[in-house]
Amino acid sequence: MSKANFTLIGAGLTGPLLATYLAQRGHSVEIYERRPDMRKESISAGRSINLALSARGNHALKEVGLYDKIKPNTIPMKGRMIHDLDGITHLQPYGQKDNEVIFSVSRAQLNMELMTWAEETGNVTIRFNHQLISADLEQNKLMFQLSDSLEELELSFNRVIGCDGSASILRKSIVEKADVQYVKKPLGHGYKELTIPPLESGEFQIEPNVLHIWPRGNYMLIALPNNDCSFTCTLFFPMAGATSFKTVKTEKDILDLFQSQFHDAIKLMPNLVEDFQKNSTGDLASVYCKPWHLGDKALLIGDAAHAVVPFFGQGMNASFQDCSTLAKLMGQNENDWKTIFNTFSSVQVENGHAIADMAIENYLEMRDHVNDTEYKKRRNVELKLERMFPGQFIPRYSMVSFHQIPYAEVYQRGEKQFKIIGDVLKADPSGQSIDKAMVEKMLIHLRIRNL
């Protein structure tokens, strides 16, 4: 295997993981990161403190040998704990099997472990405080600004891969150079992180092995557990409008909102007002881009190619699966980088678009539909069908979170299965009885196969 030289932009989660895949195949990798080394300086790990790790992400970590080191520091979450307006809670399990759980993981800790793991291959160098400001893809030149001195530095590259997130500078250069379809769709909603601290005894204030959700129609609050027994809360809220981040600013505004909408959460959050006013408000948007490459010299991966809103917990998992897919193509097309990049882009674009669409749909479900009577009825039928037709009828959430099925196929199968659920409810609006023979015929007609 001949050795290639790669330049990666961004040492967030995706960059070090991809660098490890490349390094383990004997390639030489340099990563350029705009921020300082978080292992040496206290800086933000990114837009969220913790993330949801599921099957696709776990698979990639296993492939590079890091899973066993990460797993002890994760917290399993078995379902959504719904907090109604009256304070009553009820659990909606993610799946029907004991292993159908997702895991809360510290973004910063995972990021640091990934960087160290990449460096320990001996083939990866990470250069911090290097902000990419432009790329000349004809001359294979990259222009960086050093954040500590503001000096500009021009460097040459052989092959460059953009792992630099939703605001990717490399993507901008590819879009300007090539015939690329690109659109960034703002959600119109943003987010703000808040905190539920531990009890004075050091224990969790509320149940830790679930994802807590306060669904309120046009917005919602969620909480994920941390290893220090705190919870990271995120308020997803309109950016503008009568009730929005634009109007809720003063201490009275904040307290009025939480007392009326999240009154069982407010007593858990002693620093609510301070956190709300101090913590920044983040924007949410989806990125649709096609293709993700330029010849054999430049490629986009992860959020740089397909940033998604965080409501399916798949941003990191989708990015990690990108790395796994690219590594598989390397094995199938050794050092034929034109074929590797072209095939990766062709295969993964539709998957990136599919998970972006599903993430938006899941936001509507989480903030509104989870407490809807019809939703609960459909969910009950969905679980019954899964038990009746194991391996053939799999709920969409399960296909996304607990399987390796390509996202585009998940979307297509999900649409067919929604039709089956609808027909079951037409036959019996209560959803209590299911005509097994009718469903079997529909599964054959819709060409839904066993997985």
Side-chain angles (χ1 to χ4, degrees):
M1 173 170 39
S2 62
K3 184 177 179 181
N5 297 312
F6 285 87
T7 299
L8 270 55
I9 310 300
L13 298 169
T14 308
L17 177 64
L18 179 57
T20 302
Y21 274 109
L22 291 165
Q24 289 176 346
R25 297 187 63 81
H27 303 304
S28 178
V29 184
E30 286 195 326
I31 306 176
Y32 290 87
E33 166 59 43
R34 63 180 176 82
R35 300 170 300 169
D37 188 345
M38 66 168 60
R39 295 166 297 180
K40 299 176 181 178
E41 299 185 32
S42 179
I43 61 170
S44 169
R47 69 181 184 180
S48 58
I49 293 172
N50 51 9
L51 298 164
L53 185 62
S54 55
R56 297 167 201 267
N58 284 331
H59 177 76
L61 293 175
K62 289 174 183 176
E63 285 190 325
V64 299
L66 188 56
Y67 176 77
D68 288 340
K69 192 170 184 180
I70 297 298
K71 189 175 186 299
N73 296 311
T74 65
I75 300 175
M77 298 182 292
K78 59 190 175 184
R80 301 166 174 166
M81 184 66 78
I82 307 300
H83 294 248
D84 294 336
L85 191 59
D86 58 10
I88 294 174
T89 61
H90 57 278
L91 178 67
Q92 295 182 357
Y94 287 130
Q96 303 193 76
K97 302 172 185 174
D98 290 342
N99 65 342
E100 290 183 331
V101 298
I102 62 176
F103 299 87
S104 178
V105 63
S106 162
R107 185 185 190 114
Q109 184 176 15
L110 179 56
N111 202 163
M112 290 187 284
E113 295 284 7
L114 281 164
M115 288 191 290
T116 300
W117 199 250
E119 289 174 333
E120 287 177 352
T121 64
N123 289 338
V124 177
T125 301
I126 306 176
R127 304 193 185 281
F128 296 95
N129 298 308
H130 282 68
Q131 168 73 57
L132 180 67
I133 54 177
S134 65
D136 184 337
L137 299 176
E138 285 188 353
Q139 300 299 318
N140 288 27
K141 301 288 186 183
L142 301 171
M143 182 65 72
F144 293 93
Q145 184 175 68
L146 305 183
S147 57
D148 48 0
S149 67
L150 300 184
E151 174 189 352
E152 292 189 357
L153 180 66
E154 185 179 83
L155 298 171
S156 299
F157 69 87
N158 184 12
R159 289 182 179 85
V160 61
I161 301 179
C163 316
D164 48 342
S166 61
S168 172
I169 298 299
L170 187 66
R171 183 184 64 231
K172 180 182 177 183
S173 299
I174 292 176
V175 169
E176 290 172 351
K177 176 66 180 173
D179 182 19
V180 174
Q181 301 171 34
Y182 163 71
V183 61
K184 188 172 185 177
K185 296 182 180 179
L187 183 65
H189 285 214
Y191 68 95
K192 188 179 289 286
E193 291 203 334
L194 308 166
T195 302
I196 294 176
L199 292 166
E200 289 187 7
S201 63
E203 298 174 342
F204 286 104
Q205 290 201 58
I206 50 178
E207 165 62 42
N209 296 118
V210 295
L211 188 153
H212 293 266
I213 304 180
W214 290 258
R216 297 298 182 261
N218 194 37
Y219 48 87
M220 69 176 180
L221 179 72
I222 70 169
L224 274 73
N226 297 310
N227 283 320
D228 65 357
C229 294
S230 68
F231 284 82
T232 299
C233 301
T234 309
L235 175 65
F236 296 102
F237 208 53
M239 294 296 289
T243 304
S244 66
F245 282 124
K246 192 171 183 179
T247 60
V248 178
K249 292 183 176 181
T250 68
E251 179 175 352
K252 183 179 185 305
D253 295 336
I254 297 163
L255 292 176
D256 284 351
L257 171 69
F258 274 75
Q259 285 168 351
S260 65
Q261 299 298 318
F262 313 112
H263 72 89
D264 62 327
I266 195 170
K267 62 186 179 183
L268 307 173
M269 307 168 75
N271 300 316
L272 168 63
V273 174
E274 180 185 353
D275 288 347
F276 196 103
Q277 293 179 331
K278 179 184 66 177
N279 295 348
S280 60
T281 301
D283 289 321
L284 294 169
S286 303
V287 167
Y288 296 84
C289 181
K290 178 182 181 180
W292 295 350
H293 73 296
L294 179 65
D296 66 348
K297 65 169 62 177
L299 181 72
L300 301 172
I301 197 166
D303 282 356
H306 54 76
V308 301
V309 292
F311 306 112
F312 228 129
Q314 287 297 300
M316 170 182 62
N317 293 287
S319 298
F320 282 13
Q321 188 170 58
D322 281 351
C323 297
S324 178
T325 300
L326 187 59
K328 184 177 180 180
L329 290 170
M330 290 180 214
Q332 295 170 346
N333 306 275
E334 190 168 312
N335 293 319
D336 181 357
W337 297 105
K338 186 173 183 180
T339 297
I340 293 168
F341 284 10
N342 183 65
T343 305
F344 174 78
S345 187
S346 299
V347 168
Q348 288 297 87
V349 161
E350 64 174 354
N351 292 322
H353 290 181
I355 189 56
D357 290 342
M358 287 190 287
I360 293 171
E361 291 172 13
N362 214 48
Y363 183 35
L364 301 178
E365 177 179 310
M366 291 173 71
R367 79 185 198 202
D368 191 6
H369 301 165
V370 289
N371 266 343
D372 181 76
T373 302
E374 284 303 309
Y375 167 81
K376 292 177 181 178
K377 193 186 298 182
R378 292 180 70 87
R379 176 62 172 163
N380 184 52
V381 170
E382 186 176 43
L383 295 176
K384 284 183 179 179
L385 289 170
E386 183 183 26
R387 292 193 293 271
M388 292 175 71
F389 301 95
Q392 191 170 10
F393 193 103
I394 305 172
R396 189 171 80 170
Y397 186 91
S398 297
M399 286 192 284
V400 167
S401 298
F402 310 132
H403 293 263
Q404 297 290 316
I405 307 166
Y407 292 122
E409 183 177 342
V410 170
Y411 197 94
Q412 292 165 4
R413 287 177 69 98
E415 291 297 299
K416 294 175 181 178
Q417 291 180 175
F418 290 157
K419 184 179 188 312
I420 292 174
I421 295 170
D423 285 353
V424 167
L425 288 171
K426 282 180 185 176
D428 177 12
S430 73
Q432 294 303 307
S433 63
I434 294 177
D435 185 336
K436 188 173 182 179
M438 178 191 78
V439 175
E440 283 177 336
K441 289 179 182 177
M442 290 194 70
L443 289 168
I444 294 170
H445 176 69
L446 295 175
R447 298 179 181 177
I448 298 180
R449 58 184 173 83
N450 275 305
L451 292 171

